[in-house]
Amino acid sequence: IAARSTKHGVHRGMSSVTIPPPACMLRPLEAPFRYLFGPGPSNVPPRVLAAGGRPIIGHMHSEMFGIMNDIKKGIQYAFQTSNNMTLAMSGSGHTAMECALFNIVEPGESVLVAINGIWGERVAEIAERMGAKVHTLVKTPGGHFTNAEIEQALAKHKPVLFFLTHGESSAGLVHPVDGVGDTCHKYNCLLLVDSVASLGAAPLLMDQQNIDILYTGSQKALNAPPGTAPISFSERACHKMFNRKTKPVSYLLDMTHLSNYWGNDGKPERTYHHTGPVSGFFALRESLAILAETGLENSWKHHTEVAEYFWKGLEDLGLKLFIKDKDLRLPSVTTIAIPEGYNWKELLAYIMKHHRIEFAGGLGPSLLRIGLMGYNCNKANAAMALAALEDALKQCRMSKA
């Protein structure tokens, strides 16, 4: 805005805007319908979409605090924990990942990271960036660690935190967790577990399995839009977190403030820290309500049944499943070795164009990744995915990948 001074004060002149309104913004929003059968996000059920479309209320209104309290109870059920320090991050699963590391670990402290896919690699990089001494346990994607291997590394490196991915979606592996928490505590180490791809699809019991920090994402088996991330801290984790010598590197993710925003710090009033994603919290609450109505055990059983139906169909097509041991396969995300001679990008492009179905390639290994999670998890969708794959294998020309 141009302005000039006169004896009567400052007068604002005509606008001096030089950038015109972009043509794209003068057209209505267009977004196609697709069957999201990749590793996430998954399709959102109408009930959750409707919840997210409700009128906004203030992020500091008492009604909003009531909804946040509901979300906390829903997460406690989904995680099977009685932890008071339970909340949802204002951001995707990576936000919860960073929140855990930034609040628990101080610069110079030792961290042990199990890497058998992309998520361990991410955690190792984040910990390194914030000045931790990072030690790694490494297997090729799809490999898993025995409790003896984990204990040996804990004894050697004496970390304050050990990270393990429960649902490694880049390889399609669900990792055994039994006994890992007990082993960590034997060495005065906290256990951090990523359940973004597995929560609601594969059994996980935070308190019974002695997990200290557990987080997930909203957009997988929970079927809410991306952008919120449930997380919970044990009493043991809270003791470490709230007795730091240094402040966490992130103000936004500082649990001193977030614990108050979520009403978890015992103080009578919640004070402003940041503006939470109100519509995202509405949707998350509804998705957690659906899980509670369904029942965790029913959800786990349903995902397993549909996955086994799907796995048989893939084998009937002559395809090879990447994870050989059925007990280690992630029910929510199935990984398939690319058939010899096929270009995986051509297969995915053909399926998207002719079937409006999204599958994904591998984050590392040469794989197809197909997700049937929550709302998308049924035999009709599995049959649709199989038919699309069969069609693509017939129609796509053989070429060098």
Side-chain angles (χ1 to χ4, degrees), residues 243-289:
N243 287 282
R244 297 171 58 95
K245 299 182 186 74
T246 59
K247 288 183 179 181
V249 293
S250 170
Y251 181 86
L252 177 63
L253 305 182
D254 188 336
M255 280 298 299
T256 306
H257 300 299
L258 290 173
S259 62
N260 174 261
Y261 180 44
W262 280 85
N264 292 344
D265 65 352
K267 292 182 180 175
E269 287 193 8
R270 305 191 197 196
T271 56
Y272 170 72
H273 170 244
H274 75 284
T275 305
V278 173
S279 297
F281 287 155
F282 288 174
L284 178 62
R285 187 212 177 276
E286 199 69 12
S287 68
L288 289 164

Side-chain angles (χ1 to χ4, degrees), residues 189-213:
C189 172
L190 298 170
L191 173 60
L192 167 62
V193 172
D194 178 315
S195 69
V196 172
S198 59
L199 188 86
L204 193 63
L205 305 162
M206 185 175 189
D207 287 359
Q208 288 183 44
Q209 293 175 310
N210 283 318
I211 298 167
D212 291 295
I213 311 108

Side-chain angles (χ1 to χ4, degrees), residues 9-253:
V10 175
H11 291 271
R12 301 239 169 241
M14 293 297 289
S15 168
S16 55
V17 167
T18 58
I19 308 297
C24 63
M25 298 312 297
L26 304 178
R27 297 192 298 266
L29 170 70
E30 290 182 15
F33 174 79
R34 288 186 176 138
Y35 297 98
L36 300 180
F37 297 168
S42 52
N43 292 100
V44 177
R47 183 174 153 184
V48 176
L49 283 174
R54 292 178 72 90
I56 290 280
I57 59 174
H59 64 291
M60 299 295 287
H61 290 184
S62 60
E63 296 87 350
M64 192 66 222
F65 294 155
I67 289 165
M68 291 164 75
N69 291 343
D70 290 350
I71 289 170
K72 175 178 172 177
K73 289 184 175 71
I75 296 168
Q76 287 172 326
Y77 172 70
F79 284 6
Q80 287 295 285
T81 183
S82 57
N83 290 337
N84 173 59
M85 201 57 67
T86 300
L87 62 152
M89 303 303 301
S90 303
S92 69
H94 278 83
T95 316
M97 181 189 282
E98 290 205 332
C99 175
L101 289 164
F102 289 171
N103 283 280
I104 295 294
V105 183
E106 298 198 60
E109 289 185 329
S110 176
V111 173
L112 179 63
V113 181
I115 300 177
N116 59 340
I118 190 173
W119 306 118
E121 292 172 0
R122 291 276 167 94
V123 166
E125 180 170 343
I126 292 164
E128 191 176 314
R129 285 184 180 210
M130 55 161 291
K133 291 177 183 171
V134 179
H135 308 280
T136 58
L137 267 176
V138 182
K139 298 244 172 155
T140 55
H144 72 285
F145 306 90
T146 65
N147 286 10
E149 289 170 327
I150 292 168
E151 180 162 11
Q152 188 178 14
L154 290 170
K156 180 180 178 183
H157 300 298
K158 299 178 177 57
V160 298
L161 184 72
F162 172 57
F163 171 84
L164 184 67
T165 311
H166 181 239
E168 182 43 86
S169 58
S170 65
L173 179 97
V174 62
H175 201 288
V177 177
D178 284 347
V180 178
D182 292 332
T183 306
C184 285
H185 295 167
K186 180 178 167 184
Y187 292 91
N188 198 28
C189 172
L190 298 170
L191 173 60
L192 167 62
V193 172
D194 178 315
S195 69
V196 172
S198 59
L199 188 86
L204 193 63
L205 305 162
M206 185 175 189
D207 287 359
Q208 288 183 44
Q209 293 175 310
N210 283 318
I211 298 167
D212 291 295
I213 311 108
L214 179 65
Y215 66 86
T216 193
S218 56
Q219 75 277 17
K220 310 275 186 171
L222 285 177
N223 300 132
T228 57
I231 190 168
S232 183
F233 298 82
S234 70
E235 285 295 324
R236 191 185 293 252
C238 287
H239 181 77
K240 172 82 170 76
M241 182 161 65
F242 295 127
N243 287 282
R244 297 171 58 95
K245 299 182 186 74
T246 59
K247 288 183 179 181
V249 293
S250 170
Y251 181 86
L252 177 63
L253 305 182

